[in-house]
Amino acid sequence: MPKDIHILLIEDDPYARDLMTLLLNRDWRTRVSGEAGSEAEATRILSNASNKIGAVLVDTEVPGDPDWPFRLAALVRQTFPEAVFLGTGTRAQQEIESYSERLAADY
């Protein structure tokens, strides 16, 4: 069976990124088509419209730059308008809920 959902995984923690990649690749429906550990790496991958990306899974808890998920969401919208943008976090925070609402409104 083909793996229909191509995912770009953006996570700054290499251990978490490796674990998420392992779990996503084990599912028969998904394939990790790219991994990025920084905004620069993600931008490079997202700037190439020939990449297959159906979903972008982004860590929203990056210290020091709370607006970076929004910059990435804008680039995803521009380059891969059909892609789903998903944010992740390790704890329930008011900030994460605000991110979700703001991303939904902007997306």
Side-chain angles (χ1 to χ4, degrees):
M1 262 194 178
K3 293 188 173 218
D4 296 321
I5 305 169
H6 294 262
I7 298 173
L8 171 60
L9 178 59
I10 306 170
E11 168 62 61
D12 62 322
D13 181 333
Y15 300 108
R17 191 171 58 243
D18 287 347
L19 178 61
M20 285 189 276
T21 298
L22 174 72
L23 294 172
L24 289 166
N25 282 332
R26 288 182 56 98
D27 189 308
W28 63 271
R29 299 164 292 191
T30 59
R31 171 180 305 204
V32 175
S33 59
E35 294 180 38
S38 67
E39 182 179 0
E41 288 177 61
T43 301
R44 181 182 51 75
I45 294 168
L46 289 167
S47 296
N48 184 351
S50 67
N51 288 326
K52 283 187 168 183
I53 298 175
V56 180
L57 188 60
V58 179
D59 177 12
T60 59
E61 296 175 346
V62 176
D65 191 358
D67 288 330
W68 84 283
F70 304 105
R71 291 192 299 274
L72 289 174
L75 186 55
V76 169
R77 251 191 330 270
Q78 177 184 7
T79 314
F80 300 95
E82 300 297 318
V84 176
F85 190 86
L86 304 166
T88 67
T90 59
R91 57 187 178 265
Q93 295 179 345
Q94 182 79 18
E95 212 172 297
I96 298 300
E97 291 172 14
S98 297
Y99 279 168
S100 298
E101 291 170 6
R102 185 172 159 197
L103 283 170
D106 291 345
Y107 208 77

